[in-house]
Amino acid sequence: MNYTAEAPAVWDPTFAGAGDCLLTADQCVVRGQHYFVKGLIEIPVIGRDEVFSWGVWVSLSRENFSRAADRWDTPGREAEKPSFGWLTTDLTVYPTTTLNLKTHVHTRPVGERPFVELEPTDHPLAVEQHTGITLERVREIAAAVLHSGDSE
């Protein structure tokens, strides 16, 4: 019920070890100029008491990234206002790219990944997040991901 991307689409393995680049399980910095956090796009599964989720990367402004990093281990951080971000994970199971969809990143309690809320649009991913998907659609996604060999 969950697929995840290991890094933002702009990450290149040659960045590893560079002084101005960082990639952890939760945060990423590219060339000291681009900042990302990992969060979850959660999609309700219709007729079930569970959600399907995509583990995705979202770019944040330097200011919002610094604020999130400063409060990463602070109890009560979920009271923070959502931050605007751009989706930087291309989920190839969708007919049009998911790169650069507008999002709002909602901080959750310490130890939980942020919730990524897509701006309502007619993009299939945004529609699915706002209306839910069937268990059959979950199976379709699983088959497409496994067939593509992607890590998502």
Side-chain angles (χ1 to χ4, degrees):
M1 295 296 275
N2 178 295
Y3 292 98
T4 191
E6 299 305 316
V10 298
W11 180 260
D12 186 294
T14 62
F15 296 160
D20 59 352
C21 295
L22 168 77
L23 177 63
T24 70
D26 300 304
Q27 300 174 347
C28 180
V29 178
V30 174
R31 299 290 182 219
Q33 296 178 13
H34 305 282
Y35 306 89
F36 309 89
V37 294
K38 192 170 191 178
L40 297 174
I41 295 175
E42 295 178 343
I43 303 172
V45 179
I46 298 167
R48 300 182 67 94
D49 203 17
E50 48 190 331
V51 297
F52 173 85
S53 62
W54 290 107
V56 297
W57 292 87
V58 177
S59 68
L60 297 178
S61 68
R62 176 186 214 126
E63 177 184 333
N64 286 337
F65 179 84
S66 293
R67 188 166 178 83
D70 288 347
R71 289 160 181 74
W72 203 258
D73 296 316
T74 304
R77 70 183 192 165
E78 63 273 16
E80 290 286 311
K81 290 183 180 179
S83 298
F84 175 81
W86 298 97
L87 187 61
T88 56
T89 300
D90 191 17
L91 302 172
T92 59
V93 304
Y94 293 96
T96 55
T97 185
T98 57
L99 290 174
N100 297 318
L101 292 176
K102 294 178 181 179
T103 71
H104 292 279
V105 179
H106 300 262
T107 304
R108 291 181 169 162
V110 173
E112 294 183 35
R113 289 206 188 282
F115 170 68
V116 178
E117 176 187 16
L118 293 166
E119 186 173 278
T121 66
D122 62 356
H123 190 283
L125 177 59
V127 171
E128 286 181 348
Q129 184 179 41
H130 294 284
T131 63
I133 58 175
T134 64
L135 191 55
E136 181 57 33
R137 175 65 177 141
V138 172
R139 290 185 188 111
E140 289 174 11
I141 291 170
V145 170
L146 293 174
H147 178 72
S148 72
D150 288 347
S151 60
E152 285 125 69

